[in-house]
RNA sequence: GCGAGUGUAGCUCAGGGGUAGAGCAUCACCUUGCCAAGGUGAGGGUCGUGGGUUCAAAUCCCAUCACUCGCUCCA
């Protein structure tokens, strides 16, 4: 395991050293859980996005794309459930290190008092036998009344504190009630804090009169609110899908594992709208289609697995993850969820507008069910980078190579004059010019040829094209393969097709 | 938020009270010319930040910040 961690460390260091990923705002000591993509990183990221887009949107005639804004009407997040689900006041016990929802602690406490009432009732029932009038007892017994008063006093104070955002009072209340941690049994509590999943900001240039907005925590809602727009304008018939890539933001509590978990990240999502009752069949369809997409990259089928969700979210009736074997273990890479009609229905209610589809085949209107595929672009990036990173032994020496799927490689070919003399640089630049238009290429003349090969290996360039003396005579060059290190001599006019053959997306899309 | 660790050159690290070091990398020139590490030279750091102790602090003390790991959290 330590070995895996070492490899992961090396991957992270490599990502920085070779301009793939930098820590955000590094000159200011960094910003937690935020990263920037460098020259090669941004190329790789673009290539991954393009591959996804082509295979999802361009290769499926019933899927179209959109690009929705990051800002959305605040009610969107009420409808999606994000506002309510993440307003919980949280408190930690310093001894057990356990975190609790403050409202749950207080509710548990009142539940205990309720139990006491029940006990009183049972006792009384025994005592009075058949003549026992439970209702009367509860309304008159001084002890029971005392308990009830206690409960309502607690709840009243708690609600008031919540309304006023008086977190300090909630803590005081927990202390005064003598609530102890169920694990450690102590009253050693931290302050009550609220963790917001969503980033809040303001729209409007003046502070007063500005509206609170959120940076979207998921891209899906941009698709749902545009459901009718897209369906009508692109004349889509169910079943059909809407895809989009874009940034999403989450105020997570801590940062871990490099770009695996970021506050600002990019999603590649597709929401597929289907007839109610057919969602599970489509869910299976997309599970299959998506795992095939992953396998198409040739990074080892054994490195992927499905993980079915046991606890389904409020909106889902089936859900699974595709997990990839990262250096730190199998982790979620993509989610496939059958989201039912929850989202569209909820928007329908909150917006007061019908979000329905008239299905001419069955002559009926309904709110479509949705099957979602949602993959993290940054996670996909990490998948590729960590899988591609290899240290090979070559003649007692270590070769560091990124075996990135050729189609995704940031640079497809490097054109290298063997020496800086005898017109070789000029010839090499001629070749570069020829290839540049179709492939991202590099020209390099510094250092020994071997050194240049290794530098290209380190950024995952599939081809190195070397111009030598013979080139000037017969227009042939050597082409060196990244993965095998083998060289072959080919004529310059074959270069285009040799590179194409390996890097064309067509070879990967089935 | 708790606990632990780390912060010295672009990278990896050494140094441990007395005016900053190595290797690699970078740049220039020379040399070589098909798989890294040839030669000569150069640039680059007030040792995370602030304060304290001291004649003197990168070094000791305190605080603080950032990062890493574990816990917590992660529709």
């Amino acid at each position: 395991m330590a070995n895996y961690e070492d490899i992961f460390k090396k991957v992270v260091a490599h990502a920085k050293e070779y301009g793939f990923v930098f820590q955000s705002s590094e000159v200011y000591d960094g910003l937690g859980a935020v990263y920037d993509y460098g020259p090669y990183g941004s190329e790789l990221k673009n290539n991954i996005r393009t591959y996804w887009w082509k295979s999802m949107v361009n290769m499926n005639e019933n899927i179209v794309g959109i690009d929705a804004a990051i800002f959305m009407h605040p009610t969107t997040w009420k409808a999606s459930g994000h506002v309510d689900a993440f307003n919980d006041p949280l408190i930690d016990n310093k001894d057990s290190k356990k975190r609790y929802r403050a409202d749950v602690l207080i509710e548990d406490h009142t539940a205990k008092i309720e139990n006491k009432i029940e006990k009183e009732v049972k006792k009384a029932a025994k005592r009075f036998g058949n003549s026992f009038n439970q209702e009367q007892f509860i309304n008159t017994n001084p002890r029971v009344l005392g308990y009830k008063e206690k409960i309502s006093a607690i709840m009243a104070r708690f609600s008031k504190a919540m309304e006023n955002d008086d977190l300090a009072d909630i803590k005081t209340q927990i202390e005064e009630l003598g609530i102890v941690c169920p694990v450690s049994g102590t009253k050693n509590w931290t302050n009550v804090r609220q963790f917001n999943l969503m980033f809040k900001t303001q729209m409007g240039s003046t502070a007063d009169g500005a509206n609170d907005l959120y940076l979207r925590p998921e891209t899906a809602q941009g698709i749902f609110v545009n459901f009718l727009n897209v369906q009508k304008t692109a004349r889509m018939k169910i079943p059909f899908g809407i895809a989009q890539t874009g940034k999403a933001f989450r105020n997570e509590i801590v940062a871990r594992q490099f770009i695996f978990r970021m506050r600002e990240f990019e999603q590649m999502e597709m929401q597929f709208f289907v007839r109610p009752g057919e969602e599970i069949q489509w869910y299976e369809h997309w599970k299959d289609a998506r795992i095939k997409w992953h396998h198409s990259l040739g990074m080892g089928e054994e490195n992927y697995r499905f993980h079915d969700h046991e606890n389904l979210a409020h909106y889902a009736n089936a859900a699974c993850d595709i997990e990839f074997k990262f250096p730190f273990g199998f982790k979620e890479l993509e989610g496939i969820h059958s989201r039912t009609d929850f989202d569209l229905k909820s928007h329908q209610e909150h917006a007061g507008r019908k979000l329905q589809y008239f299905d001419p085949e069955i002559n009926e209107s309904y709110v479509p069910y949705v099957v979602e595929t949602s993959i993290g672009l940054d996670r996909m990036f990490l998948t590729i980078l960590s899988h591609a990173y290899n240290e090979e032994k070559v003649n007692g020496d270590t070769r560091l190579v990124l075996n990135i799927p050729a189609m995704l490689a940031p640079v497809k070919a490097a054109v290298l004059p063997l020496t800086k003399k005898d017109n070789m640089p000029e010839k090499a630049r001629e070749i570069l010019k020829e290839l540049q238009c179709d492939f991202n290429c590099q020209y390099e003349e510094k250092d020994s040829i071997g050194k240049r090969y290794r530098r290209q290996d380190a950024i995952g360039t599939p081809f190195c094209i070397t111009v030598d003396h013979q080139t000037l005579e017969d227009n042939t060059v050597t082409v060196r393969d990244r993965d095998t290190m083998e060289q072959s001599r080919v004529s310059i006019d074959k270069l285009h097709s040799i590179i194409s053959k390996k890097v064309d997306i067509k070879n990967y899309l089935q």
Side-chain angles (χ1 to χ4, degrees):
Chain A
M1 200 61 209
N3 191 28
Y4 285 123
E5 278 161 23
D6 282 354
I7 288 172
F8 185 53
K9 265 185 198 159
K10 283 182 182 173
V11 170
V12 174
H14 189 83
K16 188 195 170 185
E17 190 178 351
Y18 286 90
F20 283 86
V21 180
F22 306 124
Q23 168 122 55
S24 163
S25 318
E26 209 189 339
V27 292
Y28 292 109
D29 285 329
L31 185 61
V34 184
Y35 292 89
D36 298 338
Y37 287 87
Y40 299 120
S42 50
E43 289 286 345
L44 176 55
K45 197 176 166 199
N46 275 339
N47 294 344
I48 297 169
R49 194 193 292 108
T50 300
Y51 182 53
W52 182 87
W53 188 268
K54 285 221 160 158
S55 64
M56 294 299 279
V57 180
N58 302 355
M59 298 293 286
N60 285 293
E61 55 181 290
N62 61 352
I63 298 179
V64 291
I66 63 164
D67 183 10
I70 287 167
F71 294 140
M72 297 186 71
H73 191 284
T75 309
T76 307
W77 308 113
K78 267 207 145 42
S80 70
H82 284 85
V83 171
D84 293 331
F86 301 101
N87 264 339
D88 308 325
L90 299 174
I91 188 166
D92 294 335
N93 183 272
K94 288 180 188 170
D95 298 313
S96 66
K97 318 280 185 225
K98 293 283 174 200
R99 173 166 296 162
Y100 301 93
R101 277 170 55 178
D103 56 327
V104 170
L105 284 180
I106 287 176
E107 270 165 30
D108 286 350
H109 185 76
T110 57
K112 275 184 193 158
I113 302 176
E114 297 265 11
N115 280 341
K116 284 185 187 170
I117 294 178
E118 253 171 59
K119 269 186 196 161
E120 288 291 334
V121 171
K122 269 187 196 162
K123 259 202 299 193
K126 230 180 195 175
R127 202 162 4 118
F128 291 103
N130 286 343
S131 63
F132 180 61
N133 180 333
Q134 185 168 330
E135 201 174 320
Q136 192 191 344
F137 178 79
I138 288 173
N139 287 321
T140 54
N141 180 282
R143 267 196 217 165
V144 171
L145 287 180
Y147 286 141
K148 282 172 90 176
E149 212 168 282
K150 239 185 191 170
I151 292 174
S152 56
I154 291 169
M155 291 317 290
R157 181 172 169 190
F158 179 70
S159 315
K160 195 181 163 200
M162 280 299 282
E163 264 170 46
N164 298 334
D165 267 335
D166 190 352
L167 299 178
D169 188 58
I170 295 176
K171 188 192 180 188
T172 313
Q173 199 180 1
I174 286 174
E175 285 170 343
E176 284 177 11
L177 291 172
I179 295 177
V180 300
C181 168
V183 175
S184 68
T186 68
K187 300 173 195 168
N188 193 7
W189 298 106
T190 64
N191 287 333
V192 176
R193 298 175 307 266
Q194 262 179 325
F195 290 105
N196 295 316
L197 173 95
M198 293 190 286
F199 283 89
K200 210 179 226 178
T201 186
Q202 289 87 37
M203 179 173 261
S205 51
T206 56
D208 46 328
N211 287 319
D212 278 346
L213 283 191
Y214 298 100
L215 303 184
R216 65 181 178 200
E218 64 176 19
T219 51
Q221 301 304 327
I223 292 176
F224 295 134
V225 300
N226 277 301
F227 164 70
L228 271 192
N229 283 338
V230 173
Q231 188 269 318
K232 285 184 173 160
T233 56
R235 303 188 344 271
M236 304 307 285
K237 289 196 177 72
I238 275 182
F240 75 95
I242 303 176
Q244 109 164 299
T245 69
K247 289 279 181 85
F249 303 84
R250 289 185 197 178
N251 233 335
E252 281 173 310
I253 297 161
V254 284
R256 273 311 116 89
Q257 280 150 342
F258 196 42
I259 56 171
F260 185 80
R261 202 162 277 169
M262 295 199 288
R263 294 211 162 92
E264 175 180 341
F265 60 102
E266 188 160 346
Q267 293 183 303
M268 303 190 288
E269 273 197 348
M270 192 276 298
Q271 307 291 336
F272 201 72
F273 300 92
V274 304
R275 207 179 270 172
E278 294 181 2
E279 69 273 12
I280 295 301
Q281 148 196 353
W282 282 106
Y283 169 72
E284 295 298 335
H285 167 87
W286 282 109
K287 270 177 78 168
D288 187 53
R290 291 307 302 154
I291 197 75
K292 277 186 179 146
W293 184 86
H294 288 285
H295 290 168
S296 75
L297 290 168
M299 298 200 298
E301 301 194 1
E302 70 282 4
N303 290 322
Y304 299 87
R305 71 179 188 200
F306 282 108
H307 174 251
D308 289 317
H309 285 204
E310 280 143 34
N311 301 319
L312 295 173
H314 56 281
Y315 53 71
N317 66 359
C320 69
D321 297 331
I322 293 175
E323 296 185 334
F324 180 78
K325 196 176 179 186
F326 287 96
F328 40 84
F330 271 102
K331 293 278 175 179
E332 176 184 355
L333 174 58
E334 171 157 6
I336 298 159
H337 297 183
S338 173
R339 293 182 75 126
T340 70
D341 57 355
F342 173 86
D343 297 279
L344 287 180
K345 230 179 197 164
S346 185
H347 285 303
Q348 191 169 261
E349 279 161 24
H350 282 83
R353 302 220 190 158
K354 277 201 170 177
L355 293 176
Q356 302 192 351
Y357 172 78
F358 177 74
D359 191 330
E361 273 183 47
I362 54 174
N363 203 30
E364 223 176 85
S365 279
Y366 53 80
V367 177
Y369 271 49
V370 176
V371 175
E372 163 188 279
T373 73
S374 173
I375 174 170
L377 175 49
D378 310 276
R379 286 185 180 184
M380 194 62 212
F381 184 102
L382 185 58
T383 299
I384 288 162
L385 197 66
S386 57
H387 183 264
Y389 183 93
N390 283 305
E391 290 173 6
E392 286 180 5
K393 290 269 175 261
V394 179
N395 301 332
D397 169 41
T398 305
R399 179 172 84 117
L400 213 161
V401 57
L402 295 187
N403 302 103
I404 299 173
M407 157 196 63
L408 300 177
V411 179
K412 304 297 191 240
V415 188
L416 318 167
L418 190 59
T419 74
K420 272 186 270 191
K421 314 177 287 209
D422 305 332
N423 271 333
M424 283 184 232
E426 289 75 6
K427 188 71 187 171
R429 285 196 187 278
E430 251 176 57
I431 296 171
L432 177 77
K433 232 176 187 172
E434 199 56 43
L435 298 174
Q436 220 162 26
C437 216
D438 294 308
F439 313 107
N440 189 30
C441 293
Q442 272 194 352
Y443 172 85
E444 246 196 309
E445 60 180 25
K446 199 182 143 43
D447 290 319
S448 74
I449 192 69
K451 226 171 183 180
R452 281 178 276 169
Y453 285 157
R454 298 301 177 88
R455 260 206 301 269
Q456 293 299 331
D457 288 340
I459 61 168
T461 306
F463 295 109
C464 285
I465 296 157
T466 304
V467 172
D468 56 19
H469 287 97
Q470 195 184 330
T471 309
L472 306 169
E473 287 157 24
D474 65 4
N475 264 335
T476 62
V477 290
T478 60
V479 175
R480 181 245 192 203
D481 183 274
R482 176 196 68 196
D483 301 328
T484 63
M485 291 171 64
E486 274 165 18
Q487 286 172 261
S488 52
R489 183 158 276 281
V490 303
S491 102
I492 289 174
D493 50 25
K494 293 256 169 61
L495 284 174
H496 195 283
S497 74
I498 290 174
I499 300 171
S500 273
K501 212 174 155 192
K502 196 138 186 192
V503 307
D504 196 334
I505 285 187
K506 244 186 257 167
N507 304 328
Y508 292 81
L509 293 170
Q510 299 299 337

